[in-house]
Amino acid sequence: MLETLTPTKQPELQKWIMEIDRYSQTFAHWEKRCKKIIKRYIDEREGIQDEAVAKYNALWANVQTMLPALYSQLPKPEIERRFNDHDDKGRVASEVLQRVVAFQLADTGASNVFRQVMLDHLLCGRGTLWVRFVPHTKSIPDESISVTDDGQEAPTVDIVEWAEVLCDYVHWQDFGHTQARTWEEVTALWRKVAMTRDELIERFGEDLGNKIPLDYKDDSTFKNDHPGATAYEAGTKATIYEIWDKSTKEAIWISKNFTEILDKRDDPLKLKNFWPCPKPLYSTLTNEQVIPTPDYVLYQDQANQLDQLTGRITSITRTIKVAGGYNAAAPALQRILNEGMENTLVPVESWGAFAETGGIAGNFQLFPMQEVANTLLSLYDARERVKADMYEITGISDLMRGDTEASETATAQAIKSSYGAVRWADRKAEVNRFFRETIQIITQIVAEFMPDDLIKTISGMKLAENPVEKQVIVQLQQQQKLPPDIDDETADSITQNPTWVEVLPVMRDNAARTFRMDIETDSTIAADEAQEKADRTEFLSAVSQFLQQALPAGQQFPPITPLLGSMLLFGVRAFRIGRGLEGEFEAFIAQMRKMSANGQAAPQNPEMIKAQMQMQSIQAKSQADQQMLVAKAKIDAQTAQQKAVIDAQADMMRARTDLAVEQNKKQMDAQMVAHQAAVESQRNALQAQQEMKLEQMRMLIEQQNARQDRMMQLILASINNRAKIEVAEIGANATLQAGQIAAASMGGADGS
């Protein structure tokens, strides 16, 4: 809700409070989305269940890939004459400003700020910074007033001892602006700053500093609840809004919980575009509103699919292990499976019942692994396809990730690299635009507010203070009586360049600086040393070839010398790498023109002929060295390219080999498990067959024994029967014989 107007606050203050609240309402959804994206980037999870789920952090991987592709080194300012014509003052002024700005960027830690801006740009879709001038003063006695008669010390004056142009990182939640459809329609912008009581007193004075309420509340994505974070807790700081209104050219400082404006200043930095910051570095914008769409939003569906597939892969991977079940009625199986036994038999109770149920094969079964392994491989393949879709959306080509085919030629890889560069060209241009505008703001502040003595010290340029001092150095150099603190190189720099009195006004004049100087920046991509060597070699080769043709022509026809000199300068100024030698070339050409005007012909001077021959010899050697450098640079570049290709191919082959080995291992493990199960089943079946054969042999033996017993019984019975018959026959024969004897005896008696 917009804050209600209260009569205790000034109308202008109420207007800015309403603008700030209106911005908060409009960007509330975007800020909520950014907080979720940052949590996703650092993989912060909520709850135990969420932490237990495996995820694939595609956001972190993509940001870590895109960040070095867009920003890898501190941008270097390139300040030069706009039209590259003969302008000594503009040339030296450009070089002085370039040196000072380069030092400010390197000395004030701007690289870390730029990296933070890039991270906000890649995560939230908007990154920005704030440029400010910070003078460091010291008090010295006022020399214009002597010590008074009463013994009191003279008053002091403050002088700037040191000054810095700082780039402050502005958090994506601390920046705001008025409502607009495009950035060009924005009329005011602000940043939110948390200040302690001491900082408030130092900035706004003792009276206001003590009245401003300490209302700061850390509403960022992550809370500082550790003991060392008390400076960011409520009640220790005040929330101050620094507002820059372009319509009125005023800078205003307010607190939403104070009844009056804290400070107001007219155009504090006197910048060309007024803003103390460049246009923010946006990701995706439309012409309807200045609310960016973060990159992650455009491929979050694919990222969610990767999370789902990764979770399934993890779950299935956990199930791939030796598992199965056995019949609880056969507890001996548990000992066989769990105990590490070799050449040991386990007793099984009720063997007959156990054998009737199929033995080990019938009472034990392993979990089917082959189907699970095939499912796992399908999930891996599906995840790779989703990643390919995500790379198509984000524009991250395979070659930029070092992913290439072993069968691809160097030409095919160059085409892929060129295509990737085309897709990223617009984004890289936007990044360079942001840093160029930042450097332009720093340059304007340096030229407007940096003290003269500090500019001279930081730049390190050896220039005379005024034309009189320059003339004195010229005379001393001609007489070879230079002071000990001025060597020949310094004297040449002083005599060949304009003085500080001539250079500083060109820097200070806003119109002259705008019309005569062009402020750019080199690419923020990693420097190509081979390209720099090639540029230097090309420059030296072009100059040497021109001199070889121009010097004989000038000697044969002296009136053409001025034209040749102008042609040489025309060529030299086209090479940015040769800017440092331009002054020496101009001095050389001026000397040649002077000799031509005096009618001095080089062929008539034996020393000149000797010097020319030496120069030609040096040029020939230099040209040969340059050709060797070019050839070496090409060979190094080709070697580096081939090495990169070979490394990429090796990495890909290594990854594929690892994947194939892993897949083969899983297949072999599954086959081994299946083979072990088959072997175990065959062994159990064979053992059952052997036991059955043993039982059959036992029964056959028992049957044979029974038959033998019956035969023995029959034999014994037969023997017994025969014995009984023989006994009976013997008894009968004895009886018959006895009867016959008795009858015989009776007959004998009768006959007597």
Side-chain angles (χ1 to χ4, degrees), residues 530 533-542 544-545 548 616-638:
K533 291 180 181 178
D535 292 341
R536 291 178 181 270
T537 302
E538 181 183 3
F539 171 76
L540 294 175
S541 177
S544 298
Q545 292 178 5
Q548 289 177 3
Q616 291 177 353
S617 176
I618 294 173
Q619 290 172 357
K621 183 178 181 301
S622 176
Q623 185 175 5
D625 294 340
Q626 293 161 11
Q627 292 176 353
M628 292 181 60
L629 289 175
V630 172
K632 185 177 181 301
K634 290 182 179 179
I635 293 174
D636 293 341
Q638 293 176 356

Side-chain angles (χ1 to χ4, degrees), residues 133 203 242-245 249-253 263-271 274 276 445 448-449:
F133 178 68
R203 173 62 182 82
E242 181 180 348
I243 305 169
W244 286 62
D245 186 4
K249 297 287 186 179
E250 291 179 335
I252 305 164
W253 286 261
D263 192 10
K264 181 187 294 187
R265 298 182 182 181
D266 293 332
D267 198 2
L269 296 179
K270 297 178 175 57
L271 299 174
F274 180 71
I445 295 176
E448 186 71 27
F449 297 100

Side-chain angles (χ1 to χ4, degrees), residues 556-682:
Q556 295 176 4
F557 189 63
I560 203 175
T561 301
L563 177 60
L564 295 176
S566 299
M567 292 175 62
L568 177 59
L569 284 177
F570 178 79
V572 170
R573 288 167 183 162
F575 289 89
R576 178 176 296 178
I577 200 71
R579 286 179 54 192
L581 300 175
E582 188 176 338
E584 297 183 9
F585 276 108
E586 290 180 349
F588 170 73
I589 292 171
Q591 184 178 3
M592 294 299 295
R593 287 177 177 175
K594 184 177 180 181
M595 293 174 61
S596 176
N598 294 333
Q600 298 179 6
Q604 299 176 358
N605 189 345
E607 295 296 332
M608 182 64 68
I609 296 176
K610 181 179 178 182
Q612 180 182 354
M613 294 177 62
Q614 291 178 352
M615 180 176 293
Q616 291 177 353
S617 176
I618 294 173
Q619 290 172 357
K621 183 178 181 301
S622 176
Q623 185 175 5
D625 294 340
Q626 293 161 11
Q627 292 176 353
M628 292 181 60
L629 289 175
V630 172
K632 185 177 181 301
K634 290 182 179 179
I635 293 174
D636 293 341
Q638 293 176 356
T639 303
Q641 183 178 5
Q642 293 176 358
K643 184 178 181 300
V645 172
I646 293 173
D647 292 342
Q649 293 176 352
D651 293 340
M652 175 53 93
M653 294 180 64
R654 191 181 299 110
R656 290 181 175 176
T657 302
D658 294 342
L659 180 59
V661 170
E662 184 67 20
Q663 293 177 353
N664 292 335
K665 183 177 181 298
K666 294 177 181 177
Q667 293 178 355
M668 292 179 63
D669 292 342
Q671 293 175 358
M672 181 63 70
V673 172
H675 179 70
Q676 290 177 353
V679 170
E680 185 68 19
S681 177
Q682 293 177 358

Side-chain angles (χ1 to χ4, degrees), residues 207-415:
D207 187 22
L208 280 178
N210 286 318
K211 293 179 181 179
I212 301 172
L214 302 179
D215 57 354
Y216 178 77
K217 181 180 179 182
D218 186 5
D219 57 351
S220 61
T221 306
F222 309 99
K223 305 299 180 182
N224 295 316
D225 52 0
H226 54 84
T230 55
Y232 290 91
E233 296 175 357
T236 61
K237 287 195 174 186
T239 303
I240 305 299
Y241 290 88
E242 181 180 348
I243 305 169
W244 286 62
D245 186 4
K246 194 172 186 179
S247 58
T248 61
K249 297 287 186 179
E250 291 179 335
I252 305 164
W253 286 261
I254 69 169
S255 171
K256 293 174 66 174
N257 294 317
F258 197 61
T259 57
E260 59 185 69
I261 292 177
L262 303 178
D263 192 10
K264 181 187 294 187
R265 298 182 182 181
D266 293 332
D267 198 2
L269 296 179
K270 297 178 175 57
L271 299 174
K272 178 181 178 181
N273 294 323
F274 180 71
W275 305 125
C277 63
K279 175 185 175 181
L281 189 57
Y282 287 111
S283 56
T284 301
L285 282 179
T286 65
N287 293 330
E288 308 303 323
Q289 56 185 1
V290 196
I291 301 179
T293 301
D295 293 339
Y296 179 72
V297 176
L298 303 179
Y299 64 88
Q300 60 182 349
D301 293 338
Q302 286 71 28
N304 293 333
Q305 291 181 24
L306 289 176
D307 287 344
Q308 296 173 1
L309 292 172
T310 302
R312 293 176 184 175
I313 289 173
T314 304
S315 300
I316 293 178
T317 304
R318 293 170 182 167
T319 63
I320 298 181
K321 56 186 177 181
V322 179
Y326 68 93
N327 188 357
L333 286 176
Q334 185 177 11
R335 291 186 56 194
I336 295 176
L337 296 174
N338 294 339
E339 298 179 7
M341 299 181 297
E342 295 182 3
N343 300 326
T344 304
L345 298 179
V346 178
V348 179
E349 298 180 0
S350 303
W351 180 266
F354 180 76
E356 291 178 358
T357 59
I360 294 179
N363 290 273
F364 169 73
Q365 185 175 3
L366 289 176
F367 183 81
M369 297 296 176
Q370 187 64 37
E371 293 80 1
V372 177
N374 292 335
T375 303
L376 183 62
L377 294 178
S378 299
L379 289 174
Y380 275 115
D381 182 66
R383 190 170 70 172
E384 291 299 321
R385 295 179 183 273
V386 174
K387 287 168 62 177
D389 293 340
M390 181 181 65
Y391 294 157
E392 286 294 329
I393 296 174
T394 58
I396 302 176
S397 65
D398 291 341
L399 190 59
M400 291 181 64
R401 283 186 172 268
D403 187 7
T404 183
E405 296 293 337
S407 59
E408 287 184 346
T409 62
T411 304
Q413 294 175 358
I415 293 174

Side-chain angles (χ1 to χ4, degrees), residues 45-55 318:
R45 309 187 184 187
E46 298 179 357
I48 300 177
Q49 295 181 352
D50 190 23
E51 293 180 355
V53 178
K55 295 184 179 181
R318 293 170 182 167

Side-chain angles (χ1 to χ4, degrees), residues 187-199:
T187 60
L189 52 82
W190 56 83
R191 68 165 175 167
K192 183 169 59 175
V193 182
M195 302 179 67
T196 62
R197 179 67 70 189
D198 293 338
E199 292 172 341

